[in-house]
Amino acid sequence: MGKALIIVVGMVLFVYALFDLIATPSRDVRILPKPLWFLAILVVPIGPLLWVFVGSKPAPRPPQNPPNVWRRPDPKGPDDDPDYLRGL
């Protein structure tokens, strides 16, 4: 059972690294060009791990948008909405 688990984890890591390599633009690949990374990934136990930790850039963090000071905050309920209270 333990050997099968190691094989399954290795194959999952291989497939993940392969598809990640294919989906990654060439400008985001570090150290080696994509064809050489493909050859490195074929060395199953070490190549995919190298790709994940060294070859690809980490995903960019979403930009932190500062709060918009010009936008009026949304009302919390109808009795907090001045437009609604004017219509009564």
Side-chain angles (χ1 to χ4, degrees):
M1 179 67 181
K3 290 180 183 180
L5 182 63
I6 291 172
I7 291 172
V8 168
V9 169
M11 290 306 295
V12 167
L13 186 60
F14 170 74
V15 170
Y16 171 78
L18 185 64
F19 280 102
D20 191 38
L21 173 67
I22 292 170
T24 303
S26 295
R27 69 184 187 298
D28 291 341
V29 176
R30 295 191 290 184
I31 299 177
L32 298 173
K34 283 178 87 167
L36 290 178
W37 272 116
F38 176 75
L39 293 176
I41 287 174
L42 292 179
V43 180
V44 173
I46 297 173
L49 287 173
L50 285 174
W51 167 254
V52 170
F53 292 113
V54 178
S56 62
K57 288 184 180 177
R61 292 183 179 174
Q64 298 293 334
N65 293 333
N68 191 348
V69 295
W70 300 106
R71 186 177 148 210
R72 186 175 72 178
D74 294 332
K76 306 239 186 298
D79 51 332
D80 293 335
D81 186 4
D83 294 331
Y84 176 78
L85 293 175
R86 259 186 252 121
L88 289 179

